[in-house]
Amino acid sequence: MTTLPLVFDAPKRTKPPRHLADLTQEQRRAAVAELGLPAFRADQLSRHYFSRLTADPAAMTDLPAGRRDELVATLLPELLTEVRHVETDNGMTRKTLWKLHDGTLVESVLMRYRRKAAGTAERDDRVTVCISSQAGCGMACPFCATGQGGLTRNLSTAEIVEQAAAAARLAASGELSGGPTRLSNVVFMGMGEPLANYTRVVAALHRLIDPAPGGLGLSQRSVTVSTVGLVPAIDKLADEGLNVTLAVSLHAPDDELRNTLVPVNTRWPVREVLEAADSYAARTGRRYSIEYAMIRKVNDQPWRADLLGELLSGRLAHVNLIPLNPTPGSDWDASPKPVEDEFRLRLAAHGVPVTVRDTRGREIDGACGQLAAKA
Ligand code: SAH
C-alpha cells in the first residue's frame, strides 16, 4: 500500500498577489506609472476601492475604458473568496469563511448593533467587523479554539484590509438586516495575534484610518488591536504615532494562573504587560481595555477580582468581562451570572470602570475564541 506524501495535500505557500491595499499612496502611483499611466490614476483607483467600495471595472467610468481591466487585474486582484456565511441575531451578525489564494481559510464576523435610545436608528448604528490577522494562531491559549490548531501563516496587509473592505461593502449593500449602513468599527479580535504579525498589521491600520483616497477613513478610536501582551510590540506600537485603541487579554491578575491561561505570560508577566499598556495610554491619552474571560472556578474568585481591582486602580484602564464561550476540547464553562456580578461589583468598588461584553455569534461559533475556520 502506498500513501502519498502529505506535502501534496498542503496548501501552496506562495505570496498573495500584490494588491493596492498592500501599498502606500506613493507606491500605488509608482505601480500605475509602470503601466504607463499618470500618477492621479492611482488616486482614482484607490477611491473606487476605499470610498466607492467597488472593484468592478465597469463602474470605474473616470478611468480610460481600454485600461480598466488591466488596472484592476494588476492592483485589485481578488484576495478573499467567500466559501460561505452564516447569520444569527436576525441577520444582524454574520460570520464569513474566506478562502485565500493558496487555499488557506480564515473567518471574520460582522456585528450590527442598533442604538435603542436614538431617534434616527440608521445614523446611530454601530457596525463592527472582527477581523483576522493570521490564519490560526501560535499563542496556544487553552480556552481559545483558534489556538488549538497552531499557526498556519501570517496574513498579508491587503488580506487583512480586504476583510474590513468586504464588511464595508456588505454594510453599504443593504444586504445586512436593517438596511444599508456604514462600517464604523474594526476590532482585531478574530483569528491570530495581531502583534505577532506586526509590520503587516501596522500597515493595515494605516489603510483603515487614512482618509480617502489612501484608506477607509475610520476614526482611530473605533479601531481596536487586541493582544496577548507582546511587550516589545506594544512599546513599538506606542512609537508609531497611532491612536488606535489597545486591548490586552489579561484573564488573570496573578502570574501563576496567567502562565497557564496565556502561555506567553512566562515571557512577559502581568506587571510588564500592564506597564507597557500604561506607556501606550500615556502616549495616546486613551484608556486601554483589559479583556477578562470569565471562566467558572478558574479565574472568577472574589479574591482575584480584588487583586485585579488593586492592580488596575489608578491606571487608565477599563475592564471588559467576556463570558467564556464554549470551544471544542475544553471542559471549561462561563462563570454563573451571580459570580460574574460579584466580580464586576468588586472591580467597580476599586474604582475600576467595568463592562460585560455583549458577546455575539455564539450560536454560529462566531464569538470570541471560537473561530477555527473549518471547511
Ligand atoms: N490574539 C488576540 C486576539 C484574539 S481574540 C488576543 O488574544 O487578544 C479576542 C479576545 O477573545 C481575547 O481577549 C481572547 O483571549 C478572547 N477569547 C479567546 N477565547 C475565548 C473564549 N473561548 N471565550 C471568551 N473569550 C475568548
Side-chain angles (χ1 to χ4, degrees):
M1 195 176 73
T2 54
T3 45
L4 283 173
L6 259 180
V7 69
F8 289 117
D9 298 319
K12 286 194 295 291
R13 293 288 165 78
T14 51
K15 269 180 86 170
R18 181 182 67 168
H19 186 281
L20 178 150
D22 287 313
L23 309 176
T24 62
Q25 204 57 1
E26 217 39 58
Q27 291 167 329
R28 292 174 209 167
R29 292 187 184 126
V32 301
E34 273 169 34
L35 300 177
L37 289 166
F40 73 92
R41 297 294 184 201
D43 295 8
Q44 289 177 312
L45 195 65
S46 301
R47 236 177 254 285
H48 284 296
Y49 180 71
F50 285 115
S51 307
R52 299 196 186 101
L53 303 171
T54 183
D56 174 12
M60 302 179 180
T61 51
D62 55 350
L63 291 169
R67 308 297 301 271
R68 286 181 212 161
D69 289 343
E70 183 189 7
L71 271 168
V72 168
T74 315
L75 283 164
L76 293 174
E78 188 176 351
L79 295 179
L80 310 183
T81 312
E82 180 174 323
V83 178
R84 66 168 170 271
H85 67 258
V86 272
E87 288 184 345
T88 182
D89 300 318
N90 299 317
M92 305 279 258
T93 301
R94 179 193 284 218
K95 178 174 83 165
T96 308
L97 176 68
W98 303 104
K99 188 190 254 179
L100 309 180
H101 82 287
D102 60 357
T104 302
L105 299 173
V106 292
E107 289 177 321
S108 61
V109 184
L110 185 61
M111 293 158 279
R112 179 176 199 167
Y113 297 85
R114 313 216 79 166
R115 293 251 193 97
K116 294 176 196 86
T120 53
E122 213 71 87
R123 200 162 301 150
D124 272 7
D125 271 7
R126 183 154 58 86
V127 181
T128 299
V129 66
C130 175
I131 61 172
S132 297
S133 55
Q134 299 182 309
C137 185
M139 298 297 127
C141 303
F143 56 94
C144 176
T146 310
Q148 307 318 302
L151 176 67
T152 304
R153 72 163 168 89
N154 282 327
L155 300 195
S156 69
T157 298
E159 285 169 337
I160 298 168
V161 174
E162 176 57 4
Q163 294 170 66
R169 291 195 292 270
L170 179 64
S173 73
E175 219 188 291
L176 209 60
S177 163
T181 183
R182 286 172 72 91
L183 177 70
S184 58
N185 294 64
V186 175
V187 296
F188 284 76
M189 296 186 188
M191 302 172 75
E193 165 51 40
L195 297 187
N197 185 13
Y198 186 85
T199 311
R200 295 173 194 90
V201 164
V202 168
L205 290 172
H206 284 289
R207 305 293 119 75
L208 297 178
I209 63 173
D210 283 355
L216 280 174
L218 295 169
S219 89
Q220 297 217 39
R221 64 178 57 234
S222 55
V223 176
T224 301
V225 174
S226 177
T227 177
V228 287
L230 305 183
V231 166
I234 296 175
D235 290 343
K236 211 165 152 198
L237 191 67
D239 290 335
E240 300 282 348
L242 289 164
N243 242 330
V244 297
T245 303
L246 179 71
V248 174
S249 296
L250 201 68
H251 306 308
D254 52 308
D255 287 321
E256 193 184 352
L257 178 59
R258 194 168 190 267
N259 283 343
T260 67
L261 295 180
V262 185
V264 82
N265 192 72
T266 54
R267 182 79 169 78
W268 294 290
V270 172
R271 187 181 52 81
E272 289 183 31
V273 173
L274 292 180
E275 280 169 10
D278 288 343
S279 318
Y280 185 85
R283 267 290 171 92
T284 60
R286 307 271 326 282
R287 207 174 269 287
Y288 57 91
S289 265
I290 292 291
E291 294 166 288
Y292 201 101
M294 294 294 291
I295 316 177
R296 188 169 71 94
K297 293 193 171 158
V298 173
N299 65 352
D300 62 357
Q301 303 81 357
W303 71 266
R304 280 208 163 87
D306 289 335
L307 186 58
L308 184 63
E310 281 157 29
L311 258 183
L312 297 181
S313 90
R315 295 187 130 109
L316 206 54
H318 153 273
V319 176
N320 198 216
L321 300 176
I322 316 172
L324 185 82
N325 295 303
T327 56
S330 155
D331 296 334
W332 288 330
D333 323 307
S335 307
K337 196 72 188 153
V339 174
E340 180 193 289
D341 288 344
E342 159 107 27
F343 201 92
R344 180 171 52 78
L345 292 173
R346 281 180 185 252
L347 284 173
H350 283 87
V352 176
V354 51
T355 48
V356 177
R357 183 170 295 178
D358 172 9
T359 188
R360 286 272 194 102
R362 202 176 289 147
E363 311 76 16
I364 54 170
D365 284 342
C368 310
Q370 294 187 313
L371 301 186
K374 293 266 160 54

